[in-house]
Amino acid sequence: MELRQLRAFVKAAETLNFTEAAKALCVTQSSFSQSIKSLEEELDVTLFHRNSHEVTLSQAGTELLPFARQTLQQADNCVNRMNDLLNLRAGTLNIGVTHSFSLLMNETIMLFLKTYPGIKLNIFYKTMGELMDMLVKRELDFALSFKPTVSYPQIESHMLFDDCLSAIVTKDHPLARHSSVTIRRLAEYPIVLPSKGLQARNTLDAILCRSNMEITALMEMNSVNPLLRLVRNSKFVTVLSSASIETYPELCAIPIDEPEATMTGSFHILKESYKKEATKEFIRMLCETNAIKDKLHSWIDG
C-alpha cells in the first residue's frame, strides 16, 4: 500500500468524481484510476461503486476512509517535522482567516515575512464554515476567527482574546456619545451590515432571533474593509467586532448591550495534528501585536 494510492482514494471519496479528483492531484485520469484499482486489488475489496451516472463509496470504502486520512495525516506530520529541522528557513504555512478577523493580521504578516523570508505564506479569506471544511481536509495549518457558534468535533479551538459585537460609527455620530447601545436603539439609525455568513452578522442574527426583532439594512457587504470605509465617509452605522476598527482611528466602537454580544478571538487546528513550529511562531507574533496584546488570553503551547 502506497501513500499515493491512499491520497487518490481519499480525494476520490471527497469528490466522488474521478476526473475532478485526478485534476486536483495533478495526475492523468488513467494514472488515477490505476491507483484506485491497484489499492482495491491489494486489499481485495471494492472501494467504490461505479456506473455511468455516479460514483459512491462502498461499505469497505466507508470503513477505510478514516484510517486512510489518519495515515496521510501521520505521513504529513513526518514531513512537517523534518521541515521544522530547517529552523524555519523553508516551508509553507497555510492560514485561514475570516473576513471579520482580517484587519488584525496585517502587522503580524509583515513581521513574519521579514523575520522568516524562506517561509511562504498562503492566506485564505473565507467564511467560518469554509475554513472548518478546509481544516478537516488538511488544506490549512490553522485558522483564525472569532469562536464559532456551532460545534466542530474534529477541530480544537484555543482562545486568544475577548471582544464584543459593537455598533461602528464615526466619532461625531450621535451614538458615539454612548458607552453601550441596545439593539432597539440601533434600529433607529440607517444601517449597513456585513453579509450573512460572516461571523459578526451571525452573532447579530442570533441576538435578533432571541429578541424577536428585525433590522432592515440599506446595504450588505461581504468584505469588512469596504464596509468600514463606507461608514467612515457617511453617517451610516454598521455592526462588527470592536477589534475590526484597529486600523481606522476615525471610527469608534460602541458595545452592543446584549448577553450574546461577546465574541472570542480564537485559533483553530485539526485535532491530533502536528502543530508546525511556524504555526507557533506566527501565533506568538500575533499575540504580541498592539491589536491583540491588550485583550490577550493565556494559551497553551502544545
Side-chain angles (χ1 to χ4, degrees):
M1 189 184 303
E2 299 178 8
L3 290 177
R4 65 176 179 83
Q5 294 173 320
L6 292 180
R7 293 191 194 280
F9 164 69
V10 169
K11 185 58 68 174
E14 291 174 349
T15 62
L16 295 177
N17 184 308
F18 279 22
T19 300
E20 183 180 335
K23 183 177 180 181
L25 295 179
C26 300
V27 298
T28 64
Q29 187 167 351
S30 60
S31 175
F32 183 89
S33 297
Q34 183 58 45
S35 293
I36 299 295
K37 181 180 178 181
S38 298
L39 184 59
E40 289 179 321
E41 290 176 349
E42 183 172 346
L43 297 176
D44 195 25
V45 294
T46 298
L47 297 174
F48 296 94
H49 297 305
R50 312 166 180 82
N51 58 43
S52 58
H53 301 292
E54 63 179 358
V55 175
T56 58
L57 270 175
S58 68
Q59 182 178 355
T62 301
E63 291 293 325
L64 176 62
L65 184 57
F67 293 100
R69 281 176 167 157
Q70 184 178 14
T71 299
L72 292 175
Q73 183 169 300
Q74 292 300 321
D76 288 343
N77 287 349
C78 289
V79 174
N80 291 335
R81 188 61 169 173
M82 294 304 102
N83 285 337
D84 284 343
L85 295 180
L86 298 175
N87 295 317
L88 301 178
R89 290 197 296 267
T92 300
L93 194 57
N94 298 304
I95 307 171
V97 188
T98 57
H99 296 276
S100 299
F101 213 93
S102 62
L103 298 181
L104 301 174
M105 293 277 290
N106 294 338
E107 184 180 346
T108 306
I109 290 171
M110 297 305 296
L111 178 59
F112 190 91
L113 290 175
K114 181 179 180 180
T115 308
Y116 303 106
I119 297 179
K120 179 184 178 183
L121 294 183
N122 292 322
I123 299 178
F124 303 86
Y125 291 97
K126 302 282 186 179
T127 64
M128 165 59 71
E130 290 170 326
L131 293 182
M132 296 300 103
D133 186 53
M134 292 178 74
L135 272 176
V136 169
K137 292 178 179 178
R138 302 190 310 279
E139 296 171 353
L140 297 175
D141 293 304
F142 66 99
L144 290 164
S145 72
F146 291 101
K147 184 179 178 180
T149 55
V150 298
S151 173
Y152 293 92
Q154 294 172 275
I155 306 298
E156 63 179 55
S157 300
H158 299 269
M159 293 188 297
L160 291 172
F161 62 90
D162 286 328
D163 201 351
C164 62
L165 192 68
S166 300
I168 308 299
V169 295
T170 56
K171 291 184 175 180
D172 60 350
H173 191 280
L175 284 177
R177 299 192 299 268
H178 298 273
S179 59
S180 64
V181 61
T182 64
I183 289 293
R184 194 171 300 279
R185 171 66 64 85
L186 191 65
E188 298 173 1
Y189 295 89
I191 191 166
V192 291
L193 291 176
S195 299
K196 290 182 180 295
L198 300 188
Q199 284 183 283
R201 179 61 181 272
N202 291 344
T203 303
L204 175 63
D205 285 348
I207 294 173
L208 290 172
C209 181
R210 182 192 64 81
S211 305
N212 196 27
M213 291 185 60
E214 292 185 4
I215 287 181
T216 301
L218 300 175
M219 181 186 299
E220 297 183 4
M221 291 188 183
N222 67 349
S223 185
V224 173
N225 262 315
L227 190 59
L228 290 173
R229 287 197 293 267
L230 176 63
V231 171
R232 181 181 62 186
N233 297 315
S234 69
K235 292 299 182 183
F236 292 143
V237 181
T238 193
V239 177
L240 292 166
S241 69
S242 66
S244 66
I245 64 169
E246 180 69 27
T247 57
Y248 287 83
E250 312 92 334
L251 301 178
C252 62
I254 300 91
I256 292 177
D257 187 14
E258 298 288 345
E260 297 92 341
T262 298
M263 301 180 71
T264 302
S266 308
F267 74 94
H268 317 277
I269 59 174
L270 188 63
K271 286 182 178 178
E272 299 180 0
S273 65
Y274 173 70
K275 191 189 298 180
K276 291 180 180 179
E277 291 301 320
T279 293
K280 297 176 185 178
E281 182 64 3
F282 192 96
I283 296 296
R284 183 192 67 78
M285 287 183 172
L286 178 67
C287 291
E288 292 180 356
T289 61
N290 292 327
I292 300 293
K293 61 184 179 182
D294 291 338
K295 309 179 185 70
L296 193 61
H297 266 292
S298 61
W299 60 284
I300 299 174
D301 184 9

PDB file of all heavy atoms in Angstrom, residues 199-229:
ATOM      1  N   GLN A 199     -19.032  36.303  10.517  1.00  0.00           N
ATOM      2  CA  GLN A 199     -19.242  35.997  11.931  1.00  0.00           C
ATOM      3  C   GLN A 199     -19.978  37.090  12.697  1.00  0.00           C
ATOM      4  O   GLN A 199     -20.830  36.805  13.542  1.00  0.00           O
ATOM      5  CB  GLN A 199     -17.904  35.687  12.593  1.00  0.00           C
ATOM      6  CG  GLN A 199     -17.395  34.298  12.235  1.00  0.00           C
ATOM      7  CD  GLN A 199     -16.119  33.986  12.965  1.00  0.00           C
ATOM      8  OE1 GLN A 199     -15.064  34.469  12.601  1.00  0.00           O
ATOM      9  NE2 GLN A 199     -16.210  33.183  14.009  1.00  0.00           N
ATOM     10  N   ALA A 200     -19.664  38.346  12.432  1.00  0.00           N
ATOM     11  CA  ALA A 200     -20.373  39.425  13.115  1.00  0.00           C
ATOM     12  C   ALA A 200     -21.857  39.384  12.783  1.00  0.00           C
ATOM     13  O   ALA A 200     -22.718  39.592  13.648  1.00  0.00           O
ATOM     14  CB  ALA A 200     -19.771  40.776  12.734  1.00  0.00           C
ATOM     15  N   ARG A 201     -22.172  39.095  11.532  1.00  0.00           N
ATOM     16  CA  ARG A 201     -23.578  39.012  11.123  1.00  0.00           C
ATOM     17  C   ARG A 201     -24.264  37.814  11.791  1.00  0.00           C
ATOM     18  O   ARG A 201     -25.418  37.903  12.224  1.00  0.00           O
ATOM     19  CB  ARG A 201     -23.672  38.911   9.606  1.00  0.00           C
ATOM     20  CG  ARG A 201     -25.107  38.790   9.075  1.00  0.00           C
ATOM     21  CD  ARG A 201     -25.956  40.022   9.449  1.00  0.00           C
ATOM     22  NE  ARG A 201     -27.317  39.866   8.949  1.00  0.00           N
ATOM     23  CZ  ARG A 201     -27.696  40.233   7.732  1.00  0.00           C
ATOM     24  NH1 ARG A 201     -26.813  40.797   6.883  1.00  0.00           N
ATOM     25  NH2 ARG A 201     -28.935  40.065   7.343  1.00  0.00           N
ATOM     26  N   ASN A 202     -23.567  36.690  11.868  1.00  0.00           N
ATOM     27  CA  ASN A 202     -24.144  35.520  12.537  1.00  0.00           C
ATOM     28  C   ASN A 202     -24.484  35.833  13.989  1.00  0.00           C
ATOM     29  O   ASN A 202     -25.536  35.435  14.498  1.00  0.00           O
ATOM     30  CB  ASN A 202     -23.168  34.345  12.474  1.00  0.00           C
ATOM     31  CG  ASN A 202     -23.003  33.800  11.068  1.00  0.00           C
ATOM     32  OD1 ASN A 202     -23.808  34.072  10.187  1.00  0.00           O
ATOM     33  ND2 ASN A 202     -21.953  33.025  10.863  1.00  0.00           N
ATOM     34  N   THR A 203     -23.576  36.543  14.656  1.00  0.00           N
ATOM     35  CA  THR A 203     -23.812  36.907  16.058  1.00  0.00           C
ATOM     36  C   THR A 203     -24.993  37.862  16.181  1.00  0.00           C
ATOM     37  O   THR A 203     -25.849  37.711  17.065  1.00  0.00           O
ATOM     38  CB  THR A 203     -22.545  37.552  16.653  1.00  0.00           C
ATOM     39  OG1 THR A 203     -21.443  36.652  16.518  1.00  0.00           O
ATOM     40  CG2 THR A 203     -22.740  37.880  18.127  1.00  0.00           C
ATOM     41  N   LEU A 204     -25.050  38.848  15.285  1.00  0.00           N
ATOM     42  CA  LEU A 204     -26.175  39.792  15.297  1.00  0.00           C
ATOM     43  C   LEU A 204     -27.488  39.079  15.035  1.00  0.00           C
ATOM     44  O   LEU A 204     -28.496  39.325  15.729  1.00  0.00           O
ATOM     45  CB  LEU A 204     -25.951  40.883  14.246  1.00  0.00           C
ATOM     46  CG  LEU A 204     -27.111  41.872  14.060  1.00  0.00           C
ATOM     47  CD1 LEU A 204     -27.356  42.662  15.337  1.00  0.00           C
ATOM     48  CD2 LEU A 204     -26.829  42.802  12.880  1.00  0.00           C
ATOM     49  N   ASP A 205     -27.523  38.202  14.053  1.00  0.00           N
ATOM     50  CA  ASP A 205     -28.761  37.499  13.716  1.00  0.00           C
ATOM     51  C   ASP A 205     -29.246  36.645  14.885  1.00  0.00           C
ATOM     52  O   ASP A 205     -30.460  36.514  15.110  1.00  0.00           O
ATOM     53  CB  ASP A 205     -28.559  36.638  12.478  1.00  0.00           C
ATOM     54  CG  ASP A 205     -28.506  37.460  11.195  1.00  0.00           C
ATOM     55  OD1 ASP A 205     -28.845  38.662  11.252  1.00  0.00           O
ATOM     56  OD2 ASP A 205     -28.127  36.910  10.149  1.00  0.00           O
ATOM     57  N   ALA A 206     -28.314  36.045  15.629  1.00  0.00           N
ATOM     58  CA  ALA A 206     -28.703  35.245  16.795  1.00  0.00           C
ATOM     59  C   ALA A 206     -29.359  36.124  17.858  1.00  0.00           C
ATOM     60  O   ALA A 206     -30.344  35.730  18.495  1.00  0.00           O
ATOM     61  CB  ALA A 206     -27.479  34.521  17.361  1.00  0.00           C
ATOM     62  N   ILE A 207     -28.822  37.330  18.059  1.00  0.00           N
ATOM     63  CA  ILE A 207     -29.408  38.269  19.028  1.00  0.00           C
ATOM     64  C   ILE A 207     -30.797  38.701  18.571  1.00  0.00           C
ATOM     65  O   ILE A 207     -31.749  38.750  19.360  1.00  0.00           O
ATOM     66  CB  ILE A 207     -28.484  39.493  19.209  1.00  0.00           C
ATOM     67  CG1 ILE A 207     -27.162  39.070  19.854  1.00  0.00           C
ATOM     68  CG2 ILE A 207     -29.165  40.574  20.033  1.00  0.00           C
ATOM     69  CD1 ILE A 207     -26.132  40.180  19.901  1.00  0.00           C
ATOM     70  N   LEU A 208     -30.931  39.025  17.281  1.00  0.00           N
ATOM     71  CA  LEU A 208     -32.225  39.461  16.747  1.00  0.00           C
ATOM     72  C   LEU A 208     -33.268  38.355  16.877  1.00  0.00           C
ATOM     73  O   LEU A 208     -34.435  38.614  17.205  1.00  0.00           O
ATOM     74  CB  LEU A 208     -32.068  39.868  15.284  1.00  0.00           C
ATOM     75  CG  LEU A 208     -31.270  41.154  15.024  1.00  0.00           C
ATOM     76  CD1 LEU A 208     -31.025  41.334  13.537  1.00  0.00           C
ATOM     77  CD2 LEU A 208     -31.989  42.364  15.596  1.00  0.00           C
ATOM     78  N   CYS A 209     -32.852  37.122  16.611  1.00  0.00           N
ATOM     79  CA  CYS A 209     -33.779  35.993  16.704  1.00  0.00           C
ATOM     80  C   CYS A 209     -34.279  35.823  18.144  1.00  0.00           C
ATOM     81  O   CYS A 209     -35.476  35.647  18.373  1.00  0.00           O
ATOM     82  CB  CYS A 209     -33.090  34.729  16.210  1.00  0.00           C
ATOM     83  SG  CYS A 209     -34.141  33.258  16.237  1.00  0.00           S
ATOM     84  N   ARG A 210     -33.343  35.903  19.111  1.00  0.00           N
ATOM     85  CA  ARG A 210     -33.733  35.753  20.509  1.00  0.00           C
ATOM     86  C   ARG A 210     -34.662  36.884  20.943  1.00  0.00           C
ATOM     87  O   ARG A 210     -35.590  36.676  21.736  1.00  0.00           O
ATOM     88  CB  ARG A 210     -32.485  35.734  21.395  1.00  0.00           C
ATOM     89  CG  ARG A 210     -32.790  35.528  22.882  1.00  0.00           C
ATOM     90  CD  ARG A 210     -31.583  35.801  23.739  1.00  0.00           C
ATOM     91  NE  ARG A 210     -31.159  37.188  23.648  1.00  0.00           N
ATOM     92  CZ  ARG A 210     -31.718  38.192  24.313  1.00  0.00           C
ATOM     93  NH1 ARG A 210     -32.747  37.978  25.100  1.00  0.00           N
ATOM     94  NH2 ARG A 210     -31.262  39.422  24.182  1.00  0.00           N
ATOM     95  N   SER A 211     -34.392  38.086  20.427  1.00  0.00           N
ATOM     96  CA  SER A 211     -35.176  39.260  20.827  1.00  0.00           C
ATOM     97  C   SER A 211     -36.449  39.415  20.008  1.00  0.00           C
ATOM     98  O   SER A 211     -37.232  40.347  20.265  1.00  0.00           O
ATOM     99  CB  SER A 211     -34.319  40.522  20.678  1.00  0.00           C
ATOM    100  OG  SER A 211     -33.110  40.416  21.398  1.00  0.00           O
ATOM    101  N   ASN A 212     -36.634  38.542  19.014  1.00  0.00           N
ATOM    102  CA  ASN A 212     -37.792  38.634  18.118  1.00  0.00           C
ATOM    103  C   ASN A 212     -37.872  40.010  17.474  1.00  0.00           C
ATOM    104  O   ASN A 212     -38.928  40.647  17.428  1.00  0.00           O
ATOM    105  CB  ASN A 212     -39.092  38.320  18.878  1.00  0.00           C
ATOM    106  CG  ASN A 212     -40.252  38.025  17.937  1.00  0.00           C
ATOM    107  OD1 ASN A 212     -40.040  37.569  16.811  1.00  0.00           O
ATOM    108  ND2 ASN A 212     -41.467  38.300  18.391  1.00  0.00           N
ATOM    109  N   MET A 213     -36.721  40.466  16.966  1.00  0.00           N
ATOM    110  CA  MET A 213     -36.631  41.771  16.321  1.00  0.00           C
ATOM    111  C   MET A 213     -36.051  41.626  14.922  1.00  0.00           C
ATOM    112  O   MET A 213     -35.451  40.606  14.588  1.00  0.00           O
ATOM    113  CB  MET A 213     -35.744  42.726  17.140  1.00  0.00           C
ATOM    114  CG  MET A 213     -36.331  43.156  18.461  1.00  0.00           C
ATOM    115  SD  MET A 213     -35.237  44.377  19.241  1.00  0.00           S
ATOM    116  CE  MET A 213     -35.226  45.698  18.017  1.00  0.00           C
ATOM    117  N   GLU A 214     -36.231  42.673  14.128  1.00  0.00           N
ATOM    118  CA  GLU A 214     -35.643  42.720  12.798  1.00  0.00           C
ATOM    119  C   GLU A 214     -34.958  44.061  12.605  1.00  0.00           C
ATOM    120  O   GLU A 214     -35.376  45.079  13.168  1.00  0.00           O
ATOM    121  CB  GLU A 214     -36.705  42.541  11.709  1.00  0.00           C
ATOM    122  CG  GLU A 214     -37.330  41.155  11.675  1.00  0.00           C
ATOM    123  CD  GLU A 214     -38.285  41.000  10.507  1.00  0.00           C
ATOM    124  OE1 GLU A 214     -38.385  41.951   9.691  1.00  0.00           O
ATOM    125  OE2 GLU A 214     -38.921  39.941  10.399  1.00  0.00           O
ATOM    126  N   ILE A 215     -33.884  44.056  11.815  1.00  0.00           N
ATOM    127  CA  ILE A 215     -33.225  45.288  11.406  1.00  0.00           C
ATOM    128  C   ILE A 215     -33.161  45.278   9.881  1.00  0.00           C
ATOM    129  O   ILE A 215     -32.690  44.297   9.286  1.00  0.00           O
ATOM    130  CB  ILE A 215     -31.813  45.400  12.000  1.00  0.00           C
ATOM    131  CG1 ILE A 215     -31.887  45.700  13.493  1.00  0.00           C
ATOM    132  CG2 ILE A 215     -31.012  46.491  11.287  1.00  0.00           C
ATOM    133  CD1 ILE A 215     -30.532  45.858  14.153  1.00  0.00           C
ATOM    134  N   THR A 216     -33.634  46.338   9.265  1.00  0.00           N
ATOM    135  CA  THR A 216     -33.600  46.436   7.810  1.00  0.00           C
ATOM    136  C   THR A 216     -32.344  47.187   7.383  1.00  0.00           C
ATOM    137  O   THR A 216     -32.174  48.366   7.716  1.00  0.00           O
ATOM    138  CB  THR A 216     -34.847  47.165   7.280  1.00  0.00           C
ATOM    139  OG1 THR A 216     -36.019  46.443   7.702  1.00  0.00           O
ATOM    140  CG2 THR A 216     -34.821  47.234   5.765  1.00  0.00           C
ATOM    141  N   ALA A 217     -31.481  46.503   6.682  1.00  0.00           N
ATOM    142  CA  ALA A 217     -30.223  47.109   6.237  1.00  0.00           C
ATOM    143  C   ALA A 217     -30.412  47.800   4.891  1.00  0.00           C
ATOM    144  O   ALA A 217     -31.119  47.295   4.009  1.00  0.00           O
ATOM    145  CB  ALA A 217     -29.141  46.047   6.137  1.00  0.00           C
ATOM    146  N   LEU A 218     -29.777  48.943   4.742  1.00  0.00           N
ATOM    147  CA  LEU A 218     -29.787  49.630   3.453  1.00  0.00           C
ATOM    148  C   LEU A 218     -28.875  48.941   2.451  1.00  0.00           C
ATOM    149  O   LEU A 218     -29.066  49.040   1.240  1.00  0.00           O
ATOM    150  CB  LEU A 218     -29.331  51.080   3.631  1.00  0.00           C
ATOM    151  CG  LEU A 218     -30.179  51.951   4.563  1.00  0.00           C
ATOM    152  CD1 LEU A 218     -29.535  53.318   4.720  1.00  0.00           C
ATOM    153  CD2 LEU A 218     -31.593  52.075   4.019  1.00  0.00           C
ATOM    154  N   MET A 219     -27.872  48.237   2.972  1.00  0.00           N
ATOM    155  CA  MET A 219     -26.895  47.582   2.116  1.00  0.00           C
ATOM    156  C   MET A 219     -26.203  46.486   2.915  1.00  0.00           C
ATOM    157  O   MET A 219     -26.076  46.581   4.135  1.00  0.00           O
ATOM    158  CB  MET A 219     -25.846  48.598   1.618  1.00  0.00           C
ATOM    159  CG  MET A 219     -24.783  48.043   0.691  1.00  0.00           C
ATOM    160  SD  MET A 219     -23.508  49.288   0.314  1.00  0.00           S
ATOM    161  CE  MET A 219     -24.509  50.544  -0.493  1.00  0.00           C
ATOM    162  N   GLU A 220     -25.752  45.431   2.223  1.00  0.00           N
ATOM    163  CA  GLU A 220     -24.944  44.393   2.843  1.00  0.00           C
ATOM    164  C   GLU A 220     -23.675  44.202   2.017  1.00  0.00           C
ATOM    165  O   GLU A 220     -23.706  44.299   0.792  1.00  0.00           O
ATOM    166  CB  GLU A 220     -25.714  43.066   2.921  1.00  0.00           C
ATOM    167  CG  GLU A 220     -26.955  43.136   3.800  1.00  0.00           C
ATOM    168  CD  GLU A 220     -27.647  41.793   3.923  1.00  0.00           C
ATOM    169  OE1 GLU A 220     -27.117  40.789   3.383  1.00  0.00           O
ATOM    170  OE2 GLU A 220     -28.728  41.738   4.551  1.00  0.00           O
ATOM    171  N   MET A 221     -22.565  43.935   2.702  1.00  0.00           N
ATOM    172  CA  MET A 221     -21.285  43.715   2.027  1.00  0.00           C
ATOM    173  C   MET A 221     -20.617  42.474   2.605  1.00  0.00           C
ATOM    174  O   MET A 221     -20.703  42.219   3.808  1.00  0.00           O
ATOM    175  CB  MET A 221     -20.344  44.913   2.217  1.00  0.00           C
ATOM    176  CG  MET A 221     -20.753  46.169   1.503  1.00  0.00           C
ATOM    177  SD  MET A 221     -19.441  47.425   1.627  1.00  0.00           S
ATOM    178  CE  MET A 221     -20.219  48.801   0.789  1.00  0.00           C
ATOM    179  N   ASN A 222     -19.923  41.733   1.739  1.00  0.00           N
ATOM    180  CA  ASN A 222     -19.253  40.518   2.204  1.00  0.00           C
ATOM    181  C   ASN A 222     -17.775  40.732   2.489  1.00  0.00           C
ATOM    182  O   ASN A 222     -17.003  39.786   2.572  1.00  0.00           O
ATOM    183  CB  ASN A 222     -19.420  39.383   1.189  1.00  0.00           C
ATOM    184  CG  ASN A 222     -18.696  39.662  -0.120  1.00  0.00           C
ATOM    185  OD1 ASN A 222     -18.236  40.778  -0.359  1.00  0.00           O
ATOM    186  ND2 ASN A 222     -18.586  38.657  -0.970  1.00  0.00           N
ATOM    187  N   SER A 223     -17.380  41.989   2.639  1.00  0.00           N
ATOM    188  CA  SER A 223     -15.990  42.319   2.952  1.00  0.00           C
ATOM    189  C   SER A 223     -15.972  43.454   3.969  1.00  0.00           C
ATOM    190  O   SER A 223     -16.729  44.430   3.842  1.00  0.00           O
ATOM    191  CB  SER A 223     -15.227  42.720   1.683  1.00  0.00           C
ATOM    192  OG  SER A 223     -13.858  42.940   1.964  1.00  0.00           O
ATOM    193  N   VAL A 224     -15.098  43.336   4.961  1.00  0.00           N
ATOM    194  CA  VAL A 224     -15.111  44.275   6.076  1.00  0.00           C
ATOM    195  C   VAL A 224     -14.511  45.626   5.701  1.00  0.00           C
ATOM    196  O   VAL A 224     -15.053  46.678   6.069  1.00  0.00           O
ATOM    197  CB  VAL A 224     -14.355  43.667   7.281  1.00  0.00           C
ATOM    198  CG1 VAL A 224     -14.203  44.698   8.403  1.00  0.00           C
ATOM    199  CG2 VAL A 224     -15.099  42.441   7.801  1.00  0.00           C
ATOM    200  N   ASN A 225     -13.411  45.639   4.986  1.00  0.00           N
ATOM    201  CA  ASN A 225     -12.742  46.902   4.669  1.00  0.00           C
ATOM    202  C   ASN A 225     -13.634  47.882   3.911  1.00  0.00           C
ATOM    203  O   ASN A 225     -13.743  49.058   4.300  1.00  0.00           O
ATOM    204  CB  ASN A 225     -11.454  46.638   3.893  1.00  0.00           C
ATOM    205  CG  ASN A 225     -10.227  46.654   4.791  1.00  0.00           C
ATOM    206  OD1 ASN A 225     -10.075  47.534   5.621  1.00  0.00           O
ATOM    207  ND2 ASN A 225      -9.362  45.674   4.636  1.00  0.00           N
ATOM    208  N   PRO A 226     -14.283  47.483   2.821  1.00  0.00           N
ATOM    209  CA  PRO A 226     -15.184  48.427   2.134  1.00  0.00           C
ATOM    210  C   PRO A 226     -16.328  48.906   3.027  1.00  0.00           C
ATOM    211  O   PRO A 226     -16.760  50.059   2.924  1.00  0.00           O
ATOM    212  CB  PRO A 226     -15.708  47.605   0.952  1.00  0.00           C
ATOM    213  CG  PRO A 226     -14.696  46.550   0.722  1.00  0.00           C
ATOM    214  CD  PRO A 226     -14.165  46.207   2.090  1.00  0.00           C
ATOM    215  N   LEU A 227     -16.795  48.017   3.897  1.00  0.00           N
ATOM    216  CA  LEU A 227     -17.867  48.395   4.813  1.00  0.00           C
ATOM    217  C   LEU A 227     -17.406  49.489   5.766  1.00  0.00           C
ATOM    218  O   LEU A 227     -18.107  50.485   5.995  1.00  0.00           O
ATOM    219  CB  LEU A 227     -18.319  47.157   5.586  1.00  0.00           C
ATOM    220  CG  LEU A 227     -19.588  47.255   6.424  1.00  0.00           C
ATOM    221  CD1 LEU A 227     -20.783  47.639   5.562  1.00  0.00           C
ATOM    222  CD2 LEU A 227     -19.846  45.928   7.132  1.00  0.00           C
ATOM    223  N   LEU A 228     -16.211  49.355   6.303  1.00  0.00           N
ATOM    224  CA  LEU A 228     -15.680  50.362   7.216  1.00  0.00           C
ATOM    225  C   LEU A 228     -15.380  51.678   6.503  1.00  0.00           C
ATOM    226  O   LEU A 228     -15.599  52.754   7.060  1.00  0.00           O
ATOM    227  CB  LEU A 228     -14.423  49.830   7.899  1.00  0.00           C
ATOM    228  CG  LEU A 228     -14.661  48.712   8.918  1.00  0.00           C
ATOM    229  CD1 LEU A 228     -13.334  48.135   9.405  1.00  0.00           C
ATOM    230  CD2 LEU A 228     -15.478  49.219  10.104  1.00  0.00           C
ATOM    231  N   ARG A 229     -14.912  51.591   5.280  1.00  0.00           N
ATOM    232  CA  ARG A 229     -14.650  52.824   4.524  1.00  0.00           C
ATOM    233  C   ARG A 229     -15.953  53.576   4.244  1.00  0.00           C
ATOM    234  O   ARG A 229     -15.996  54.806   4.272  1.00  0.00           O
ATOM    235  CB  ARG A 229     -13.924  52.491   3.214  1.00  0.00           C
ATOM    236  CG  ARG A 229     -12.466  52.099   3.414  1.00  0.00           C
ATOM    237  CD  ARG A 229     -11.683  52.175   2.113  1.00  0.00           C
ATOM    238  NE  ARG A 229     -12.138  51.168   1.156  1.00  0.00           N
ATOM    239  CZ  ARG A 229     -11.611  49.962   1.027  1.00  0.00           C
ATOM    240  NH1 ARG A 229     -10.600  49.589   1.823  1.00  0.00           N
ATOM    241  NH2 ARG A 229     -12.053  49.113   0.125  1.00  0.00           N
TER     242      ARG A 229
END
